[in-house]
Amino acid sequence: MRILVISDIHANYTAFETVLKDAQGMWDYVWCLGDVVGYGPDPNDCVEKLRELPHLCLAGNHDWAALDRLDIRTFNPDARRAVDWTRETLTSDNTHWLEALPVTFVIGDYTLAHASPREPIWEYILETKTASDNFPHFETPYCLVGHTHQPVIYEQVTEYDTTATRPNYGKQRHLNGRRQIINPGSVGQPRDTDPRAAYALLDFEKNIWEHRRVPYDVSSVQRRMRQYRMPERLIARLEMGM
Ligand code: ZN
């Protein structure tokens, strides 16, 4: 089975559509690691598109915020405004779909979580120390996470030594049995200074992973965000990949 691994679409339908086109014919099933909505202008379109595909989807912190399951006082004011707008805009059918999403999932050699296996909704794995602390919190060889919007592979070399490898886009990597925490990056709001949409392909049986990047029409998303009077900082960050 070939898996399209995506995360953090963040209501950016243009980026999502572009990823689906770029990966066309290369996958059988979608794994989505959460944050389908929040920040972007197209929450319903993104949820509805994903629901049409054979998929497994987890809940992320922004999905929970849209469901009023989180205290959003910890969000910055721009993110809070986006949450309010998303709540008002989501159809009740799509809200119910978000409500039913699981927080973690284990399938074959893979544990899936939005943020981290230790704290599936909240924790940011941004460096090797946090990655290292998370290895005891899952049982399978590999764990897939999103949340930071930065593609990376953390590999446990020894109990005390974890390495971080930046992606080699378009190059297949055979997962060698060593324990790894892998982030495919963000479809709809990359934060690694590369504005291109990020995603990955996985051969589930052969354990072959491939990080990929594809440019999309950022300005058309920004136009919709301006039309809905979304915060300017959220609009500007898309073209910077920040
Ligand atoms: Zn996110």
Side-chain angles (χ1 to χ4, degrees), residues 1-3 25-27 153 165-176 180 182 199-204 206-213:
M1 174 114 72
R2 300 165 307 163
I3 314 290
M26 299 164 93
W27 56 272
I153 297 178
T165 308
R166 297 292 154 199
N168 209 340
Y169 296 112
K171 266 220 126 150
Q172 295 189 334
R173 173 187 173 104
H174 186 243
L175 305 179
N176 50 16
Q180 291 165 65
I182 309 177
Y199 70 100
L201 295 170
L202 169 70
D203 186 314
F204 180 70
K206 296 186 186 141
N207 295 326
I208 295 170
W209 177 273
E210 183 184 333
H211 273 110
R212 294 171 65 97
R213 261 349 239 265

Side-chain angles (χ1 to χ4, degrees), residues 82-114:
V83 168
D84 289 337
W85 183 87
T86 302
R87 276 181 194 161
E88 290 159 18
T89 305
L90 274 170
T91 66
S92 64
D93 193 40
N94 289 334
T95 301
H96 290 317
W97 181 82
L98 288 170
E99 278 167 358
L101 298 180
V103 168
T104 57
F105 207 91
V106 179
I107 176 164
D109 284 344
Y110 298 85
T111 298
L112 316 183
H114 174 64

Side-chain angles (χ1 to χ4, degrees), residues 7-10 34-39 60-62 114 124 146-149 186 189 191:
S7 191
D8 299 278
I9 299 168
H10 281 294
D35 279 5
V36 180
V37 304
Y39 291 130
N61 54 314
H62 282 264
H114 174 64
Y124 289 91
H147 194 47
T148 64
H149 301 203
S186 166
Q189 197 202 70
R191 292 182 195 159

Side-chain angles (χ1 to χ4, degrees), residues 52-237:
E52 278 173 17
L53 309 173
H55 74 275
L56 183 160
C57 184
L58 302 178
N61 54 314
H62 282 264
D63 303 315
W64 273 24
L67 299 172
D68 213 356
R69 279 190 193 163
L70 290 181
D71 181 356
I72 58 166
R73 279 176 298 183
T74 58
F75 281 43
N76 68 55
D78 289 341
R80 273 207 310 265
R81 265 177 68 191
V83 168
D84 289 337
W85 183 87
T86 302
R87 276 181 194 161
E88 290 159 18
T89 305
L90 274 170
T91 66
S92 64
D93 193 40
N94 289 334
T95 301
H96 290 317
W97 181 82
L98 288 170
E99 278 167 358
L101 298 180
V103 168
T104 57
F105 207 91
V106 179
I107 176 164
D109 284 344
Y110 298 85
T111 298
L112 316 183
H114 174 64
S116 79
R118 179 167 63 178
E119 285 281 349
I121 293 291
W122 274 118
E123 184 176 35
Y124 289 91
I125 306 182
L126 285 162
E127 27 70 42
T128 52
K129 168 73 172 71
T130 317
S132 186
D133 292 345
N134 265 281
F135 281 109
H137 292 268
F138 64 102
E139 316 253 308
T140 55
Y142 313 115
C143 177
L144 307 183
V145 297
H147 194 47
T148 64
H149 301 203
Q150 296 180 8
V152 64
I153 297 178
Y154 293 106
E155 182 167 337
Q156 190 180 40
V157 183
T158 69
E159 199 181 326
Y160 305 103
D161 185 20
T162 296
T163 59
T165 308
R166 297 292 154 199
N168 209 340
Y169 296 112
K171 266 220 126 150
Q172 295 189 334
R173 173 187 173 104
H174 186 243
L175 305 179
N176 50 16
R178 244 190 218 155
R179 303 194 75 214
Q180 291 165 65
I181 297 173
I182 309 177
N183 191 321
S186 166
V187 170
Q189 197 202 70
R191 292 182 195 159
D192 59 346
T193 70
D194 181 343
R196 294 176 301 165
Y199 70 100
L201 295 170
L202 169 70
D203 186 314
F204 180 70
E205 282 83 21
K206 296 186 186 141
N207 295 326
I208 295 170
W209 177 273
E210 183 184 333
H211 273 110
R212 294 171 65 97
R213 261 349 239 265
V214 60
Y216 71 94
D217 185 358
V218 173
S219 60
S220 76
V221 184
Q222 292 176 316
R223 266 199 302 279
R224 288 198 295 286
M225 292 174 82
R226 288 208 172 90
Q227 195 184 318
Y228 300 140
R229 299 177 195 286
M230 298 180 110
E232 192 55 40
R233 197 182 66 91
L234 297 183
I235 298 170
R237 71 190 298 181

